[in-house]
């Protein structure tokens, strides 16, 4: 019991239930004298440690002492039937402990279910259109997903993931500069294939070129079209 402090319990009944379990007693066989002595000793130990004792613990201690005193005194003879209806304090204590034990067991069961439920994650349903209908162009035929899919196929064909056996020199790239270059290409040819703009397959070049195309489509400088699903994507200059 010395390993426990008053703050470890949720109230007097919680402490009493712990004492019952520690004594390996059945609540129905509870000895009021023994449980009272254990309870009072625990309260005294807490006071000696200068720990604050909640008033409810002290009230229960007084009730237990009163019950113990009454149980030790000889019982007066019963004068009428009303005395037979008087509730035995010890039986009342047992009833309260049994009810609290059921309550605590229920709480533990719910806590276990809560922990199990915590392993599952749910997501509110959303409309698929928020992922499929957002367009980066103004003719409604090619989505950002289509562009990414086409680019991914190009990279797979070129084995982009393998290291190059060439000396790589770092070259500063910007979206603004790349947009200018694409405009120059479109001045010569009004329509070009999307993948033809990826002359280099370095990470920086691919990312900057892709962002430049998205920027131009957003600003309605180009139209993006596709003859069929998974077909060639065409960029067309908007005059």
């Amino acid at each position: 019991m010395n390993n426990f402090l008053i703050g470890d319990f949720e109230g007097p009944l919680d402490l009493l239930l712990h004492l019952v379990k520690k004594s390996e007693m059945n609540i129905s066989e509870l000895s009021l004298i023994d449980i009272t002595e254990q309870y009072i000793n625990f309260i005294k130990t807490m006071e000696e440690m200068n720990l604050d004792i909640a008033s409810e613990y002290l009230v229960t201690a007084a009730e237990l002492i009163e019950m113990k005193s009454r149980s030790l005194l000889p019982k007066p003879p019963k004068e009428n039937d009303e005395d037979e209806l008087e509730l035995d304090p010890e039986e009342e204590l047992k009833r309260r402990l049994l009810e609290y034990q059921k309550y605590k067991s229920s709480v533990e069961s719910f806590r276990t279910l809560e922990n199990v439920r915590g392993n599952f994650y749910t997501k509110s349903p959303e409309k698929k259109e928020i992922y499929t209908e957002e367009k980066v162009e103004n003719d409604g035929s090619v989505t950002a997903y289509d562009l990414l899919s086409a680019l991914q196929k190009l990279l797979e064909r070129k084995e982009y993931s393998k290291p190059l056996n060439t000396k790589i020199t770092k070259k500063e790239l910007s979206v603004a500069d790349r947009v200018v270059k694409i405009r120059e290409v479109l001045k010569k040819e009004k329509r070009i294939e999307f993948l033809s703009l990826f002359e280099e397959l370095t990470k920086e070049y691919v990312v900057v070129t892709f962002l430049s195309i998205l920027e131009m489509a957003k600003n309605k400088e180009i139209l993006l079209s596709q003859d069929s699903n998974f077909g060639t994507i065409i960029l067309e200059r908007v005059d």
Side-chain angles (χ1 to χ4, degrees):
M1 190 71 191
N2 295 334
N3 295 329
F4 289 90
L5 298 177
I6 197 73
D8 295 327
F9 301 98
E10 297 176 359
L13 288 178
D14 199 30
L15 172 56
L16 283 170
L17 187 61
H18 172 77
L19 294 172
V20 171
K21 290 181 179 179
K22 183 174 178 290
S23 302
E24 298 182 350
M25 283 189 289
N26 189 299
I27 293 178
S28 60
E29 300 171 353
L30 175 66
S31 169
L32 184 60
I33 295 176
D34 292 340
I35 206 70
T36 299
E37 288 180 356
Q38 292 182 51
Y39 186 93
I40 298 301
N41 287 338
F42 179 78
I43 296 298
K44 287 181 178 178
T45 301
M46 296 298 103
E47 289 176 334
E48 289 171 1
M49 295 174 65
N50 294 322
L51 296 177
D52 292 332
I53 310 297
S55 59
E56 55 182 333
Y57 287 91
L58 299 177
V59 169
T60 300
E63 291 176 348
L64 286 171
I65 293 173
E66 182 185 4
M67 288 182 198
K68 178 182 176 181
S69 301
R70 291 175 61 179
S71 67
L72 294 175
L73 294 174
K75 295 182 180 180
K78 298 178 182 178
E79 296 181 357
N80 50 48
D81 294 339
E82 291 182 1
D83 290 336
E84 295 180 2
L85 298 177
E86 184 179 351
L87 194 62
D88 183 354
E90 189 168 354
E91 292 301 318
E92 172 63 11
L93 177 62
K94 291 178 182 179
R95 184 191 67 78
R96 289 167 61 190
L97 278 173
L98 284 169
E99 286 185 355
Y100 182 76
Q101 186 179 47
K102 291 179 182 177
Y103 159 78
K104 189 151 187 173
S105 297
S106 299
V107 170
E108 290 298 324
S109 298
F110 284 122
R111 187 173 289 118
T112 300
L113 291 173
E114 181 183 14
N115 292 334
V116 172
R117 181 64 182 83
N119 294 324
F120 297 89
Y121 300 90
T122 58
K123 184 176 182 298
S124 301
E126 294 180 350
K127 294 182 179 181
K128 65 178 182 179
E129 287 78 7
I130 65 175
Y131 300 104
T132 59
E133 289 193 351
E134 184 177 359
K135 302 292 188 288
V136 296
E137 74 298 323
N138 58 7
D139 67 345
S141 58
V142 178
T143 66
Y145 176 80
D146 293 325
L147 297 179
L148 284 171
S149 179
L151 184 57
Q152 179 63 31
K153 289 178 182 178
L154 171 66
L155 299 179
E156 289 174 357
R157 287 201 305 269
K158 298 294 185 180
E159 297 182 329
Y160 176 56
S161 59
K162 290 186 178 180
L164 298 175
N165 296 321
T166 57
K167 184 178 179 180
I168 300 175
T169 57
K170 188 174 182 181
K171 183 168 57 177
E172 294 295 332
L173 297 171
S174 71
V175 172
D177 292 339
R178 190 71 185 112
V179 167
V180 171
K181 294 292 184 182
I182 295 174
R183 285 173 182 163
E184 291 176 358
V185 173
L186 288 172
K187 283 182 181 179
K188 299 176 182 177
E189 299 181 50
K190 187 175 181 178
R191 290 166 53 90
I192 57 173
E193 290 187 9
F194 166 67
L195 296 181
S196 67
L197 293 173
F198 296 89
E199 302 96 339
E200 298 179 23
L201 294 181
T202 61
K203 288 183 180 179
E204 294 82 359
Y205 193 85
V206 168
V207 171
V208 170
T209 300
F210 188 80
L211 292 177
S212 300
I213 293 171
L214 292 180
E215 182 70 17
M216 294 178 73
K218 177 183 175 183
N219 295 333
K220 298 183 180 180
E221 291 186 55
I222 57 174
L223 291 176
L224 299 172
S225 60
Q226 194 174 32
D227 294 335
S228 61
N229 288 338
F230 312 112
T232 302
I233 297 176
I234 303 297
L235 276 74
E236 182 176 352
R237 183 184 75 240
V238 176
D239 294 327

